[in-house]
Amino acid sequence: MLLLAVLLMAALLPGPLLASTPRLTALNAQANGPLSTLSLTLSEPVTYHVFALANPDRIVIDLPEMQLTSRNLPRDTGLIGTVRTGRPSAGSSRLVIECTEPVTVAATQLRPTQQGRSHILTVSLRSAKSRSDSGLAAVIPPTTTGRYAATGWTAPPPRRPPGEVRSDSLLPVRKVVALDPGHGGHDPGAMTPSGLMEKAITLATARELRRELEAIGGYRVILTRNRDTFIALRDRIAIARKAGADVMVSIHANKLDNPSIRGLSVYTLSENASDAEAAALAESENKADVISHLDLRGATPEVTNILIDLAQRETMNSSSRLASLVVDRVGRDGPLLVRPHRFAGFAVLKAPDVPSILVELGFISNKEDATTLASADGRRKLVRALARGIDAYFARVEMANSR
Ligand SMILES: [Zn+2]
């Protein structure tokens, strides 16, 4: 009931409350008899324009500016050779299908999915060499009909559009991972009598983790500090948000009086701490700045609070998913603290719109952990497991988006 009321209020609000770039969440290719079909899963119905080009043979699909959240581009399916993405001009996106032979557009269709949460644009191609269309009628899907007829059209006559696409690099969105090496400068963090310092371990680990994620591919990794310098906690969040971070991973190492305690633990924000933070943020002057993907201008204070709360709840769920995947991957082949996923009100976890975790790599007060954390060789296995946990998180996000 509360949710319904919230949705109703959101619908009645003036202005682009949840304005965002439409997303292209999945691309699939299918060969079926004489037809090869490319299916685009879209977050909303959009205007599209499909046309063929020769030398080399290709089909162009022009779309408004889209965010491509799928990392998999189909290839080598029937008449479809490869699929490239590009941005011919500001405010528009383009898919180019390189074909294995001259083709024509047999049909296009835009329809909502069964649940209506996303929309599927299908573009069916057939060989231009086909002598006859007989027998095709049964397999060609119906063309644009019904209430979506107005949103699409086809224009088969080949022509060379201005600004033919050349770049593949503009449309795909790489996930941004903010790594936050704890402490630094005059703040060494935990220390051992032998001189092992937390601030050095966290920075080295962050650099190694960045290399590991870049090796996996599909990630832009930023560090909140890349040298031995002190940075205030709220500035660390600001750096991550400014970079457009999709997640923030704060890296620390722990120390206890009891030398037998060891293993990794991951913290996410506790519910209580976050409620207080949300309230404080809602009361602050720059409300529009609180949640980057919400436009809160024109919203009443009540609605602002509800929307911040909803966004923060979503962020907390994502943070928890990330935490459990990191714990799982590290725990497969490394030591974990008892109850490795813990909750706390750490300041660096309080970005309301960036899923955030704080990783305590281990205890430098424990001999085995200290040995592991003291050298790059010792950290290698741990860093690899951290990267795999982060990668598994984004794989899940992608899967959820393409449903
Ligand atoms: Zn620390």
PDB file of all heavy atoms in Angstrom, residues 182-183 189-190 198 202 251-254 358 360, ligand 1:
ATOM      1  N   GLY A 182      42.301   2.529   2.490  1.00  0.00           N
ATOM      2  CA  GLY A 182      42.081   3.172   3.780  1.00  0.00           C
ATOM      3  C   GLY A 182      43.319   3.904   4.296  1.00  0.00           C
ATOM      4  O   GLY A 182      44.448   3.557   3.970  1.00  0.00           O
ATOM      5  N   HIS A 183      43.059   4.955   5.106  1.00  0.00           N
ATOM      6  CA  HIS A 183      44.119   5.711   5.791  1.00  0.00           C
ATOM      7  C   HIS A 183      45.064   6.387   4.796  1.00  0.00           C
ATOM      8  O   HIS A 183      44.710   6.581   3.647  1.00  0.00           O
ATOM      9  CB  HIS A 183      44.844   4.804   6.785  1.00  0.00           C
ATOM     10  CG  HIS A 183      43.875   4.060   7.667  1.00  0.00           C
ATOM     11  ND1 HIS A 183      43.302   4.618   8.783  1.00  0.00           N
ATOM     12  CD2 HIS A 183      43.316   2.817   7.542  1.00  0.00           C
ATOM     13  CE1 HIS A 183      42.454   3.742   9.326  1.00  0.00           C
ATOM     14  NE2 HIS A 183      42.439   2.645   8.593  1.00  0.00           N
ATOM     15  N   GLY A 189      46.860   4.129  10.117  1.00  0.00           N
ATOM     16  CA  GLY A 189      45.966   3.009  10.395  1.00  0.00           C
ATOM     17  C   GLY A 189      46.621   2.081  11.397  1.00  0.00           C
ATOM     18  O   GLY A 189      47.423   2.519  12.227  1.00  0.00           O
ATOM     19  N   ALA A 190      46.313   0.785  11.313  1.00  0.00           N
ATOM     20  CA  ALA A 190      46.897  -0.178  12.247  1.00  0.00           C
ATOM     21  C   ALA A 190      48.378  -0.390  11.927  1.00  0.00           C
ATOM     22  O   ALA A 190      48.795  -0.277  10.773  1.00  0.00           O
ATOM     23  CB  ALA A 190      46.143  -1.503  12.153  1.00  0.00           C
ATOM     24  N   GLU A 198      49.084  -0.411   7.972  1.00  0.00           N
ATOM     25  CA  GLU A 198      47.839  -0.639   7.239  1.00  0.00           C
ATOM     26  C   GLU A 198      47.763   0.231   5.987  1.00  0.00           C
ATOM     27  O   GLU A 198      47.362  -0.225   4.925  1.00  0.00           O
ATOM     28  CB  GLU A 198      46.640  -0.358   8.156  1.00  0.00           C
ATOM     29  CG  GLU A 198      45.295  -0.612   7.476  1.00  0.00           C
ATOM     30  CD  GLU A 198      44.111  -0.252   8.359  1.00  0.00           C
ATOM     31  OE1 GLU A 198      44.323   0.085   9.538  1.00  0.00           O
ATOM     32  OE2 GLU A 198      42.972  -0.304   7.854  1.00  0.00           O
ATOM     33  N   THR A 202      46.905  -1.251   2.276  1.00  0.00           N
ATOM     34  CA  THR A 202      45.664  -0.931   1.563  1.00  0.00           C
ATOM     35  C   THR A 202      45.954  -0.328   0.192  1.00  0.00           C
ATOM     36  O   THR A 202      45.291  -0.657  -0.790  1.00  0.00           O
ATOM     37  CB  THR A 202      44.785   0.041   2.381  1.00  0.00           C
ATOM     38  OG1 THR A 202      45.497   1.266   2.603  1.00  0.00           O
ATOM     39  CG2 THR A 202      44.387  -0.569   3.711  1.00  0.00           C
ATOM     40  N   ILE A 251      39.146  -0.373   1.335  1.00  0.00           N
ATOM     41  CA  ILE A 251      40.052  -1.461   1.712  1.00  0.00           C
ATOM     42  C   ILE A 251      40.788  -1.131   3.009  1.00  0.00           C
ATOM     43  O   ILE A 251      41.399  -0.059   3.133  1.00  0.00           O
ATOM     44  CB  ILE A 251      41.058  -1.730   0.570  1.00  0.00           C
ATOM     45  CG1 ILE A 251      40.290  -2.138  -0.699  1.00  0.00           C
ATOM     46  CG2 ILE A 251      42.056  -2.814   0.956  1.00  0.00           C
ATOM     47  CD1 ILE A 251      41.145  -2.128  -1.946  1.00  0.00           C
ATOM     48  N   HIS A 252      40.720  -2.040   3.954  1.00  0.00           N
ATOM     49  CA  HIS A 252      41.375  -1.859   5.251  1.00  0.00           C
ATOM     50  C   HIS A 252      42.018  -3.162   5.703  1.00  0.00           C
ATOM     51  O   HIS A 252      41.791  -4.218   5.113  1.00  0.00           O
ATOM     52  CB  HIS A 252      40.343  -1.411   6.305  1.00  0.00           C
ATOM     53  CG  HIS A 252      39.899   0.009   6.117  1.00  0.00           C
ATOM     54  ND1 HIS A 252      40.331   1.039   6.910  1.00  0.00           N
ATOM     55  CD2 HIS A 252      39.077   0.560   5.181  1.00  0.00           C
ATOM     56  CE1 HIS A 252      39.787   2.173   6.492  1.00  0.00           C
ATOM     57  NE2 HIS A 252      39.015   1.910   5.441  1.00  0.00           N
ATOM     58  N   ALA A 253      42.829  -3.073   6.763  1.00  0.00           N
ATOM     59  CA  ALA A 253      43.350  -4.269   7.430  1.00  0.00           C
ATOM     60  C   ALA A 253      43.183  -4.046   8.923  1.00  0.00           C
ATOM     61  O   ALA A 253      43.311  -2.925   9.407  1.00  0.00           O
ATOM     62  CB  ALA A 253      44.811  -4.497   7.070  1.00  0.00           C
ATOM     63  N   ASN A 254      42.881  -5.114   9.642  1.00  0.00           N
ATOM     64  CA  ASN A 254      42.474  -4.999  11.032  1.00  0.00           C
ATOM     65  C   ASN A 254      43.600  -5.374  11.994  1.00  0.00           C
ATOM     66  O   ASN A 254      44.607  -5.951  11.597  1.00  0.00           O
ATOM     67  CB  ASN A 254      41.273  -5.923  11.264  1.00  0.00           C
ATOM     68  CG  ASN A 254      40.214  -5.258  12.107  1.00  0.00           C
ATOM     69  OD1 ASN A 254      40.533  -4.416  12.940  1.00  0.00           O
ATOM     70  ND2 ASN A 254      38.971  -5.637  11.898  1.00  0.00           N
ATOM     71  N   LEU A 358      33.035  -2.245   2.785  1.00  0.00           N
ATOM     72  CA  LEU A 358      34.337  -2.017   3.400  1.00  0.00           C
ATOM     73  C   LEU A 358      34.939  -3.387   3.690  1.00  0.00           C
ATOM     74  O   LEU A 358      34.341  -4.192   4.399  1.00  0.00           O
ATOM     75  CB  LEU A 358      34.196  -1.186   4.683  1.00  0.00           C
ATOM     76  CG  LEU A 358      35.503  -0.740   5.348  1.00  0.00           C
ATOM     77  CD1 LEU A 358      35.327   0.623   6.024  1.00  0.00           C
ATOM     78  CD2 LEU A 358      35.997  -1.758   6.370  1.00  0.00           C
ATOM     79  N   GLU A 360      37.790  -5.641   5.289  1.00  0.00           N
ATOM     80  CA  GLU A 360      38.930  -5.795   6.195  1.00  0.00           C
ATOM     81  C   GLU A 360      39.657  -7.037   5.707  1.00  0.00           C
ATOM     82  O   GLU A 360      39.178  -8.159   5.854  1.00  0.00           O
ATOM     83  CB  GLU A 360      38.453  -5.969   7.648  1.00  0.00           C
ATOM     84  CG  GLU A 360      37.805  -4.732   8.259  1.00  0.00           C
ATOM     85  CD  GLU A 360      38.818  -3.681   8.746  1.00  0.00           C
ATOM     86  OE1 GLU A 360      40.042  -3.875   8.557  1.00  0.00           O
ATOM     87  OE2 GLU A 360      38.368  -2.658   9.310  1.00  0.00           O
TER      88      GLU A 360
HETATM   89 ZN    ZN B   1      41.490   0.799   8.640  1.00  0.00          ZN
END
